[in-house]
């Protein structure tokens, strides 16, 4: 039983970290903040060239031919770096929307149900369900061209709390024209999992930031990291991150919907609460625009409201505790 | 990272299941919790059955009489026995999982030959004499004194939280042999025969009303010097070394048990109608996420231990910190599921379990101590204050 | 605006504390634990003689003529001292059941709805609603004599978690004979408030116990109370107790059902969580039968399940946030 | 203990309500949050209206130009103005509630005559120069230096978290006048005119995107020695004395505002259907209990202060500890009530409030500091570690 990253996976992850360090360092991140998260097409193409979107397409379709575990590692790095843009939707659209895999097309998703629609301005395509959105609809539609224009015209831009994510409000059901055969349930699950991976990366990063600050800031003649109150906040951050990590990685391996729900629930909580604790440890400085911690918190809140909310995940996980479910499911036992 | 079990592991699991299915029906009924001799007999009978079937000391090295199993095999063993409802390790706990491994790692050939085989066969059981009333979380502050007198140590002091003291043959005892040395450097590890004169065992009643533990008073008990494992004053290191035997498997059975309990809670809630309360239902859903994650974290720790050959890095303390809290939540949820008078009825298993769960954030290092360990040793925050 | 105890109220409280110190010191409390909370009739009569049960009866009816605020102070002391027996029900029955006011009769209450019935063995009377209990019924019945015997015969004793409170299970609806005119809603509210007062006393006491232990126990060469982790647990205990105290006292003054719900909710939480934290601070010693902390915890859990549960209180408090409720209710403004 | 207001208090409330009902409709519209001069004008206009109606400096002693009101009257004033939707104290905050009371308590007759009347009339506003970037929670570690040069102090350093710095006339400034003394004993309190050369104000953007605060850089700013209140190096005590003016009323307006917000949340939830979710509904019910209790605790603190004539005993830190957490919970619940995209729309008032609420557990003493204070000063636990 092997639940450790392989050497290839480690290499993939560090390659992604190196790439982001080169094309999206802190200066570029803060520049993206100042322009309100408006998309950087050249960055998008660089991600495409690196295989970020085509990662799970089969090699014969021009993809990298890897799986969800590898995708999760890349999205974890994206979350840690606060990489903006509709990463999840474009990744899901690779193979569905021309140019998505290469980073030429920017694809976002309308999940329906009053949820925020991110990065709609300038998107080349939008994934919606046949009904109210990817989440609620039963069939998947890809909106482009004039249909997309009509959709965008009906959407209302909002002043987004997250400066890295422009948002629109989309109300009512979308009565589109053509519909593909794809079943959006799988997309929704994968979207939830990849978001969870981003949350995991963010939770890891805010833990590091908190520890770094606690180990360098002095108050009352001591490093604040020597105070138990601060120490214990940091310890609890790690105790949120590591179970979430195991849940996310396992869900990526099994693809099981219930495991994905667990992963999203715990990763959302880890990202949000770790960002809160990181802010608390930073004190007044954490309350400033200049500190990055608020960017993690706002993004974490936003991701928690997308793809699969806590209420939905908990109900799914409760339903799984059914009386007729066999204790063993195949030889993997606790599965 | 694929979480799949190897063919050999699947084969091991299959044989074990088959064996369990064959022998468990033949077990006698469980003894009453207060009948210690009967509990010892029950637990050691089970150990003998494991021994005869080749499962005794599964994770011990082969040269200590064990099977040299991998951490994954040990995980499978613990998972399957718990799922099948096999007896707990019970009275064999200290011998198999603590004192035995200590002797195996640090003992002389004579010591290994004397003490290990009876543990594996279920012939002898051990108890643990580490904690003291005044030491508490600060274990190394122990004060039980051992003074050399010829070929013996003469030991006086008192120990607390000792399980199975009434029925144990041996006690792994930490004593202070050099009161002048820094506290971690004046401790020695002794194997004390429990029938030695001067030992008084007094049951210690817990808040659950049970006598799972005892206090052990030592009044000039003579323990032969040859019963010391490791060098004099090197007992702290000797004890710490043992922990590396665990390799991430310490809580396998408990997590499996918690998941079974959670399934049972859901079934009961569906039966008594409380399932219709979304607050409770979502709480159970959340616990499902927590225990699934803890199971995966267990697998990650075991897998890491298997790869590195040592103890899992960030595993132990992080796991225990999260697990103790969540397990207490589980029994708070159980009280909600029972509801009304049932939540206060000690004849309902979950009510007693709720009381026992109060110790999880205290025993074997309080959650406060765990947080210190995580912050200082894993995250590298400065000591002090 | 005066929200301080009057001199008379202070005197009443310290009188009660003195009385309990004399008739129910720790030795007697532990003796009561060892006999499973079985009622001590002579103690009961001493409480009666001191006016504990007759406190709110008018003087012309042989009572003390005081009000809910004074009753709350007495019950707070009772909670702190872990005084056993059906104190709340007997107090409520004064004037309804002969001998209750004097401490000659022992009266308990069956609240219905599957709730635990306490101290039924040896009770001289039981208050039940016309339906399933005081809580659920619409009319109040007082069971005595043969009717009581039949009721007790139908009840099943359970092995009680709280060694100071014997419990019975009573199932189904009680189809009694005669019914008084009294409306049990008021009794239920007063029962909830007096229980909340007991919880407040318990929460105060466990805070004191925690502080006392933290200031005397040494670990790692220091008093454990000098560690922030312990200090902050203690501070949070006080931060639970004091808002609960204000809520309980205010509810006693106003008698308002919504304030009573707030008082019960917060006092239950303070009692339970403070007992938990007190146990944690006591470490292994807190896990023993000899320490008193488990008695506070078990009692606190039990009281939380009686008269008004958290779920009920929260729904009541939510309903109060109605859209048509006027902002001002009379001159007391936020009332 | 009867919670009833006296006849005089009721009369005071009645007159105040009547006055508020008369004047509030005539107020100009609120200025934009980023227009500081307009905000100053709006706030000082309001202060002048209060002054003309006899409500200015209500809780100040009469010999300082105030009305010498009881704490209960002050509570009523704060409650009624908040309920009526009157303007906040805003730009007058430091003058009315901090610097003014300091001057009133510790200033000379000349100082009182110079500084107090303009504050009451709304002619001059003050800002606060206490916090420093490197001091943080450890306020007394401040490093801004003041060196005596003839009749002036020459002040250099920097301050942070200063509200209204751009439009203030005066700054109450804590400076270090003796760098050799223990940190609490080398501090002095100065009134610094904000038009003095050498002052640079730089807006400090918060995570909510607003510029509610500024950094103030001081480069050899000359402050006359006669602007010092209290003795040299006695500034720490001078500052602490001021806190006794508050007498339990510090959070009256905020608690009233929170209860109004909670009512509005419930109304919105009923409107948008989220009221049907019992998890959310019960959460709002719990918040109702919390804020009711905090209101009662406020009354208890004010009442205690009125009886004893001083600051409430266990009131302040305990109140703040609980209140900051609960108020953050309120805005978490608000995000749930809004739901979906609305919870991320900065044009929704609650979304901005949610961001602002993040400072509650940090500003004016973090919750960690509050817990230390409660544990050490109220519960008497030992200092250190």
């Amino acid at each position: 039983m092997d639940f450790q990253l392989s050497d290839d996976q480690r290499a993939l992850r560090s390659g992604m970290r190196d790439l982001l360090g080169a094309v999206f360092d802190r200066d570029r991140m803060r520049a993206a903040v100042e322009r309100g998260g408006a998309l950087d097409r050249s960055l998008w193409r660089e991600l495409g060239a690196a295989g970020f979107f085509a990662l799970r397409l089969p090699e014969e379709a021009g993809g990298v031919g890897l799986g969800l575990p590898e995708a999760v590692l890349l999205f974890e790095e994206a979350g840690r770096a606060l990489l903006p843009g509709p990463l999840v939707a474009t990744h899901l659209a690779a193979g569905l929307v021309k140019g998505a895999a290469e980073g030429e097309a920017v694809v976002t998703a309308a999940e329906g149900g009053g949820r925020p629609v991110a990065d709609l301005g300038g998107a080349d395509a939008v994934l919606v369900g046949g009904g109210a959105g990817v989440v609620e609809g039963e069939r998947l539609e890809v909106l482009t061209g004039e249909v997309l224009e009509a959709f965008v015209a009906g959407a209302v831009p909002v002043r987004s709390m997250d400066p890295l994510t422009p948002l629109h409000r989309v109300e009512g059901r979308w009565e589109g024209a053509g519909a593909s055969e794809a079943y959006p349930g799988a997309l929704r699950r994968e979207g939830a999992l990849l978001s969870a991976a981003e949350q995991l990366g963010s939770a890891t990063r805010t833990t590091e930031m908190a520890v770094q600050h606690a180990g360098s800031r002095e108050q009352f003649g001591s490093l604040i990291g020597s105070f138990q109150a601060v120490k214990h906040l940091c310890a609890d951050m790690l105790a949120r991150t590591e179970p979430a990590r195991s849940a996310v990685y396992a869900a990526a391996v099994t693809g099981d919907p219930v495991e994905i729900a667990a992963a999203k629930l715990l990763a959302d909580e880890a990202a949000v609460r770790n960002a809160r604790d990181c802010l608390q440890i930073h004190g007044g400085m954490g309350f400033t625009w200049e500190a990055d911690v608020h960017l993690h918190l706002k993004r974490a809140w936003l991701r928690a409201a997308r793809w699969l909310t806590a209420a939905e995940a908990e109900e799914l996980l409760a339903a799984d505790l059914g009386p007729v479910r066999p204790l063993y499911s195949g030889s993997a036992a606790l599965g | 990272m694929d979480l799949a079990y190897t063919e050999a592991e699947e084969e091991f699991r299959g044989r074990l299941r088959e064996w369990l299915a064959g022998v468990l029906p033949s077990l006698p009924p469980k003894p009453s919790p207060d009948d210690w001799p009967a509990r010892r007999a029950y637990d050691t009978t089970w150990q003998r059955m494991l021994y005869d079937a080749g499962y005794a000391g599964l994770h011990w090295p082969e040269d200590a009489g064990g099977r040299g199993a991998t951490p994954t095999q040990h995980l499978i063993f613990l998972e399957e026995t718990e799922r099948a409802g096999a007896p707990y390790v019970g009275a064999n706990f200290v011998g198999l999982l603590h004192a035995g491994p200590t002797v195996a790692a640090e003992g002389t050939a004579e010591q290994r030959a004397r003490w290990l085989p009876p543990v594996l066969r279920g012939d002898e059981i051990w108890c643990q004499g580490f904690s003291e009333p005044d030491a508490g979380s600060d274990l190394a502050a122990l004060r039980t004194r051992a003074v050399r007198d010829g070929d013996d140590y003469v030991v006086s002091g008192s120990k607390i939280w000792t399980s199975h003291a009434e029925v144990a043959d041996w006690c792994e005892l930490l004593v202070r042999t050099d009161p002048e040395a820094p506290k971690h450097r004046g401790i020695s590890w002794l194997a004390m025969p429990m029938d030695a004169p001067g030992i008084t065992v007094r049951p210690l009643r817990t808040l659950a009303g049970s006598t799972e533990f005892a206090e052990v008073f030592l009044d000039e008990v003579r323990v032969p010097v040859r019963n010391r494992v490791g060098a004099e004053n090197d007992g702290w290191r000797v004890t710490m070394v043992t922990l590396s035997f665990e390799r991430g498997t310490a809580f396998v059975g408990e997590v499996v048990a918690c998941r079974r309990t959670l399934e049972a809670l859901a079934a009961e809630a569906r039966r008594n109608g409380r399932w219709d309360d979304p607050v409770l239902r979502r709480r159970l859903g959340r616990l499902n996420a927590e225990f699934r994650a803890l199971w995966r974290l267990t697998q990650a720790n075991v897998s890491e231990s298997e790869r590195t050959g040592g103890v899992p890095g960030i595993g132990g303390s992080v796991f225990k910190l999260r697990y103790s809290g969540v397990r207490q939540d589980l029994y708070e949820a159980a009280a909600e599921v029972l509801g009304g008078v049932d939540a206060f009825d000690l004849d309902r298993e979950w009510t007693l379990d709720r009381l026992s769960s109060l110790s999880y954030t205290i025993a074997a290092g309080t959650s406060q101590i765990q947080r210190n360990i995580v912050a200082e040793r894993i995250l590298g925050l400065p000591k002090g204050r």
Side-chain angles (χ1 to χ4, degrees), chain A, chain B:
Chain A
M1 190 265 309
D2 173 30
F3 196 22
Q4 301 292 300
L5 298 192
S6 68
D7 291 343
D8 284 352
Q9 286 168 333
R10 284 173 204 275
L12 185 76
R13 183 171 66 178
S14 70
M16 180 71 181
R17 191 172 298 189
D18 292 346
L19 174 70
L20 290 179
V23 303
F24 195 68
D25 59 10
R26 185 165 187 277
D27 285 350
R28 288 190 226 198
M29 188 273 285
R30 296 302 310 205
V33 167
E34 292 320 312
R35 65 172 191 272
L39 205 82
D40 177 347
R41 287 262 172 187
S42 74
L43 172 63
W44 210 251
R45 274 188 290 270
E46 289 192 80
L47 291 170
F52 185 87
F53 302 118
L55 189 81
R56 294 190 295 134
L57 275 191
E59 291 182 52
E60 53 272 27
V64 188
L66 292 172
L68 271 178
E70 287 76 18
V72 152
L73 295 176
L74 296 194
F75 276 84
E76 189 183 336
E77 291 304 314
R80 177 191 168 91
L82 287 164
L83 191 63
L87 299 164
V88 171
T90 303
H91 179 100
L92 294 177
L96 285 174
V97 175
K98 191 170 144 52
E102 297 77 20
E104 295 299 330
V106 175
V107 187
T108 186
E111 299 166 43
R115 293 170 202 241
V117 178
D119 309 292
L120 187 60
D124 301 304
V126 181
L127 307 179
V128 297
V134 173
V135 169
E136 300 193 345
E138 289 180 0
R139 289 160 305 127
L140 182 76
E141 277 189 65
V142 178
L143 313 189
T144 54
E146 287 179 13
V147 186
L148 173 61
E149 280 169 36
F151 185 86
V152 174
V156 182
V158 304
R159 201 153 64 88
S160 173
M161 178 204 276
D162 176 11
L164 281 168
T165 315
L167 295 178
H168 279 72
R169 176 181 288 113
V170 175
E171 268 158 14
R173 290 175 67 83
W174 170 253
E175 301 296 347
S180 97
E181 292 301 299
Y183 173 64
L187 284 194
R188 180 192 188 185
R189 286 197 293 278
E190 291 177 3
L193 176 62
L194 298 175
S195 290
E198 291 182 303
Q199 297 286 57
L200 176 62
S202 175
T204 308
R205 180 70 193 124
T206 49
T207 306
E208 290 171 8
M209 287 160 64
V211 169
Q212 199 276 332
H213 184 77
S216 57
R217 168 88 169 168
E218 278 196 28
Q219 295 265 275
F220 303 101
S222 299
L223 290 173
I224 64 169
S226 68
F227 294 107
Q228 274 193 342
V230 172
K231 242 179 233 189
H232 290 192
L233 281 176
C234 292
D236 284 337
M237 290 170 81
L238 194 67
R240 274 181 221 121
T241 309
E242 293 311 315
R245 179 183 312 283
S246 296
V248 169
Y249 290 180
V253 170
T254 66
D256 177 72
V258 179
E259 285 213 89
I260 289 175
K264 182 69 165 43
L265 181 68
L266 298 184
D268 282 346
E269 183 174 285
V272 167
R273 295 187 58 188
N274 283 12
R276 285 289 291 111
D277 287 350
C278 181
L279 199 156
Q280 184 69 23
I281 288 168
H282 276 75
M285 302 319 297
F287 193 66
T288 63
W289 186 264
E290 301 316 316
D292 292 345
V293 55
H294 72 101
L295 302 171
H296 280 282
L297 178 59
K298 292 164 176 175
R299 202 75 177 280
W301 274 340
L302 182 58
R303 288 193 202 103
R306 297 189 64 191
W307 299 103
L308 192 69
T309 65
E312 292 164 339
E314 284 169 353
E315 287 288 7
L316 230 155
L317 285 151
D320 169 63
L321 295 169
V324 291
R325 189 182 161 86
L327 284 180
Y328 293 92
S329 60
S331 66
L334 277 166
Chain B
M1 185 166 78
D2 64 6
L3 280 170
Y5 291 89
T6 64
E7 204 168 311
E9 287 162 354
E10 291 292 3
E11 203 181 297
F12 174 80
R13 187 191 295 276
R15 276 200 318 272
L16 174 59
R17 274 191 196 173
E18 201 175 318
W19 178 72
L20 286 168
V23 301
L24 291 182
S26 68
L27 281 183
K30 286 196 183 176
S32 142
D34 294 327
D35 186 346
W36 288 97
R39 284 177 65 166
R40 175 189 164 133
Y42 184 85
D43 294 346
T44 53
T45 299
W46 171 243
Q47 181 60 27
R48 181 59 190 232
M49 288 167 72
L50 289 171
Y51 179 81
D52 290 341
Y55 291 112
L58 193 67
H59 67 302
W60 286 19
E62 290 183 24
D63 64 5
R67 315 288 302 179
T70 63
T72 297
Q73 284 176 320
H74 195 206
L75 174 139
I76 292 170
F77 173 79
L78 295 166
E79 179 189 352
E80 291 295 331
T81 48
E82 175 60 38
R83 292 220 137 231
Y88 295 108
V89 64
N92 305 296
F93 180 86
V94 175
L96 276 175
L97 295 164
H98 209 275
T102 303
V103 172
E106 300 282 329
T108 62
E110 291 75 17
Q111 289 173 330
R112 290 155 63 107
R114 167 62 191 89
W115 286 318
L116 299 183
V119 165
L120 293 174
R121 282 194 309 265
D123 291 344
E124 290 183 350
I125 72 161
W126 288 63
C127 63
Q128 188 178 71
F130 283 10
S131 298
E132 297 187 6
D134 289 331
S137 291
D138 187 9
L139 178 58
L142 61 91
R143 299 196 300 201
T144 293
R145 283 281 284 122
V147 180
R148 187 82 174 251
D149 180 32
D151 290 340
D152 290 338
Y153 288 107
V154 180
V155 183
S156 293
S158 67
K159 294 291 179 176
I160 197 169
W161 306 117
T162 306
S163 296
H164 303 100
E166 293 89 338
V167 291
D169 303 288
W170 297 93
C171 178
E172 58 164 344
L173 193 70
L174 288 183
V175 293
R176 185 155 306 281
T177 34
D178 182 356
E180 308 303 322
K183 65 182 180 180
H184 293 90
R185 304 226 180 114
I187 293 170
S188 300
W189 192 106
L190 305 180
M192 176 176 74
M194 286 299 284
D195 58 0
I199 300 178
T200 310
V201 173
R202 191 164 70 191
L204 181 68
R205 200 167 173 204
T206 71
L207 55 75
S210 62
T211 51
E212 213 44 48
F213 305 102
E215 289 179 277
V216 178
F217 299 93
L218 307 174
D219 181 17
E220 305 201 344
V221 180
R222 299 192 81 85
V223 179
V225 171
R226 67 171 182 277
N227 285 16
R228 191 190 68 231
V229 170
E232 190 169 88
N233 298 326
D234 196 27
W236 188 257
R237 188 194 60 77
V238 166
T239 303
M240 292 300 118
V241 159
T242 308
L243 296 178
S244 68
F245 267 72
E246 172 252 297
R247 301 183 74 184
T249 58
F251 294 96
V252 169
E254 294 194 36
V255 174
V256 173
C258 285
R259 294 189 65 183
R260 287 169 59 114
T261 300
L262 182 60
E263 302 253 353
L265 285 183
E268 171 69 15
R270 286 172 192 266
R271 197 192 60 72
N272 71 17
R274 291 197 171 79
W275 188 255
D276 296 335
D277 173 6
V279 179
L280 178 58
R281 193 173 62 234
R282 283 179 51 183
R283 190 168 169 187
L284 296 178
R286 171 167 288 268
L287 285 166
N288 190 9
E290 293 281 1
F291 286 113
R292 279 175 171 272
L294 287 170
W295 175 250
R296 294 311 193 185
L297 183 54
T298 301
Q299 287 182 310
N301 287 341
V302 168
S303 171
E304 181 188 345
S305 167
E306 188 153 316
R307 173 177 293 202
T308 64
V311 288
I314 56 177
S317 289
V318 168
F319 183 94
K320 179 165 188 298
L321 183 53
R322 180 88 173 208
Y323 168 71
S324 351
V326 174
R327 185 153 175 188
Q328 288 178 347
D329 291 346
L330 176 70
Y331 287 107
E332 290 308 303
E336 286 286 313
V337 168
L338 286 171
V341 67
D342 286 341
F344 301 95
D345 181 353
L346 288 179
D347 287 326
R348 298 294 300 242
E349 185 187 0
W350 294 332
T351 303
L352 263 182
D353 289 344
R354 183 187 193 193
L355 293 177
S356 304
S357 79
L358 295 170
S359 70
Y360 299 152
T361 47
I362 295 172
T366 64
S367 291
Q368 284 73 31
I369 302 278
Q370 301 296 342
R371 289 190 184 97
N372 279 351
I373 293 172
V374 170
E376 293 171 9
R377 298 197 206 154
I378 301 173
L379 296 175
L381 286 168
K383 288 207 109 184
R385 297 191 72 89

